[in-house]
Amino acid sequence: MKLRQGVQAEILISLALVMAAGTALLAAVLLEIADARLESLHDLLGRGFVASTRNGILELEAAESGHWWKIDGHGVVRGLNASARELDAGTRTLARESKATGRPLVESGAPWQPIRFAAPGRDGSETIVGRMDPPLPAWLLGVVILVDVVIFVLFGWTLLRRRVVGPLHRLVDAVRGIGDADAGAEIVVEGVD
């Protein structure tokens, strides 16, 4: 019996590891592709934001997506749309850097990180800043990947037990029966494979 359980466990653990590694590799490739696409989108959004602030045509509706602020020359922050809450530290740092260099800046990272914009206003005394939060927080993306791996491993485990390990058990039992001189040992052939 030990041999039987050892072979089953070894096969199932090996295949589960292969499935988990394959899922992780697929997730990494998909994240890399999404990151490259988002980076080009961030660049496009940033150029549109900079053009709007330089031409003085940045108009935000009350329900505009993202959080937008105007920082005057004295550091007073005023929200430009209804969703503008308190200015976060990362966006404030980007605003300071933009004001110091006199250049517009766009900061984007991984798909689960916010996109931040900062650009000096037309007269240079004010800075327009914005932050667009990601559609999925990092913890939710991690949960989705974990659930995917668990489902994939459980499905593979069940399928392998039924299609590989089960027939191997019956084969081992029949071989043992033949080894014990059981003339009635029989192996049932199932399916066309």
Side-chain angles (χ1 to χ4, degrees), residues 34-106:
D35 191 38
R37 294 179 75 192
L38 281 174
E39 192 65 36
S40 64
L41 177 62
H42 297 175
D43 183 49
L44 181 64
L45 286 171
R47 285 184 282 158
F49 169 71
V50 169
S52 295
T53 56
R54 284 194 175 157
N55 296 329
I57 58 171
L58 182 67
E59 296 178 15
L60 296 168
E61 301 294 324
E64 191 77 38
S65 65
H67 311 283
W68 301 93
W69 301 271
K70 185 183 283 190
I71 305 173
D72 68 14
H74 303 291
V76 177
V77 178
R78 184 173 59 92
L80 294 177
N81 64 347
S83 64
R85 297 182 204 112
E86 187 175 329
L87 187 62
D88 63 285
T91 306
R92 186 179 294 276
T93 302
L94 192 67
R96 285 187 191 124
E97 188 179 336
S98 176
K99 184 168 177 71
T101 62
R103 296 179 329 176
L105 300 171
V106 177

